[in-house]
Structure formats: structure tokens, C-alpha cells
Amino acid sequence: MRKNEEDQGKLLLQCGKLILLGGLTAFLMCTVLLFLVSVGISEGLISMSLQYRLTVVICVLSSFLGGIMVVRQCPGRDLLVGIAVGAVLFLIQLSVGLVLYDTFSLENGGIGLLCGGLCGGAAAGILSGGGKGRTQRNTPKRRR
């Protein structure tokens, strides 16, 4: 392999590790926020009818924050990296759900969690990747 291909492989491996770390961070943040919401529901501060909506909002928020963490450290395609963090968050949630419960169906809110994770990651990729554009060199203009 050429040196350029080795550098690309190292960069891809580094971004892959960052994406997994961002997904895990987003999952932990989602778990903590969901615990706080469950405490609020059990204390009567939050209505039980808002449970699903708050779950999707927390999924979007945690995917957004995990995506921001990764997009700022991983150069390259910001939108794809953000979406990948949202996908990793959903896959972790799916894995934990399959371990804890005996059945799985997308009709019970899985689609909302998937869309929430992907949209939060995409928003992180779009909003936090703006300042990395090409810089122009300050070279004097030539006379013709």
C-alpha cells in the first residue's frame, strides 16, 4: 500500500472509533435524561401522556450532542459522521431493548427513535461543521 492509502486507513479507523464513542456517549446521556424524566413522571411533575414524545426528544438531543462531539474531532464528511452517530445510538438502544425484553416491534415506537437519532445526528453534522472551510491564502495579486 502507498503511504496515502495508509493515512486514509488510519483516518477511517480513527473516525470509526470516534463514531462508536460518540454513540456510546449519546446512549449514556439518553439513559440519564430518561431516568430524570421517569423520576419527574413518578413524582407527578410530568404528565404520563408525554412519555413517548419526551423519549423521542431526548433521543434527538442526545444524538445531537454526541454528534457534535464527534463531528468536531473527525475531519471529513460532517453530515455522514453525524448520521452514523445517530445510527449507532439507535443500534445500541435496539440491542439493549432486545436483551431486556423478549420481543421487538417497530410499531411500539422504534421508528420514532430511529428517526430521532438520525435527525439529531444529521443536525449535529449540519450545524457544527460550518467553520472548517478552505482558507484562502493572502497572496498579492499579480499584474498582467
Side-chain angles (χ1 to χ4, degrees):
M1 284 200 305
R2 295 187 307 218
K3 185 167 176 73
N4 190 18
E5 291 175 357
E6 290 176 6
D7 291 341
Q8 287 179 353
K10 288 179 184 177
L11 183 65
L12 184 63
L13 184 63
Q14 180 186 9
C15 283
K17 288 192 303 188
L18 287 172
I19 287 170
L20 288 175
L21 183 66
L24 186 63
T25 304
F27 176 73
L28 293 175
M29 188 178 319
C30 186
T31 304
V32 168
L33 291 175
L34 284 173
F35 176 73
L36 293 175
V37 166
S38 68
V39 168
I41 289 174
S42 67
E43 292 291 323
L45 301 172
I46 300 173
S47 173
M48 183 71 172
S49 63
L50 297 175
Q51 178 182 3
Y52 179 68
R53 293 180 198 144
L54 286 174
T55 304
V56 174
V57 167
I58 287 173
C59 186
V60 170
L61 182 67
S62 61
S63 176
F64 178 74
L65 295 175
I68 284 178
M69 183 184 84
V70 174
V71 166
R72 292 193 178 180
Q73 293 178 0
C74 184
R77 309 205 183 268
D78 298 333
L79 181 63
L80 293 178
V81 170
I83 290 174
V85 170
V88 167
L89 172 63
F90 176 72
L91 289 175
I92 293 172
Q93 289 172 341
L94 179 67
S95 300
V96 170
L98 285 175
V99 168
L100 295 178
Y101 301 106
D102 53 350
T103 61
F104 170 73
S105 67
L106 290 175
E107 293 84 25
N108 291 336
I111 298 293
L113 294 178
L114 173 63
C115 292
L118 293 178
C119 290
I126 291 171
L127 295 177
S128 69
K132 297 181 192 175
R134 291 185 181 177
T135 57
Q136 295 179 351
R137 288 186 245 163
N138 293 330
T139 56
K141 295 182 181 179
R142 295 182 184 178
R143 292 185 183 174
R144 291 186 181 181

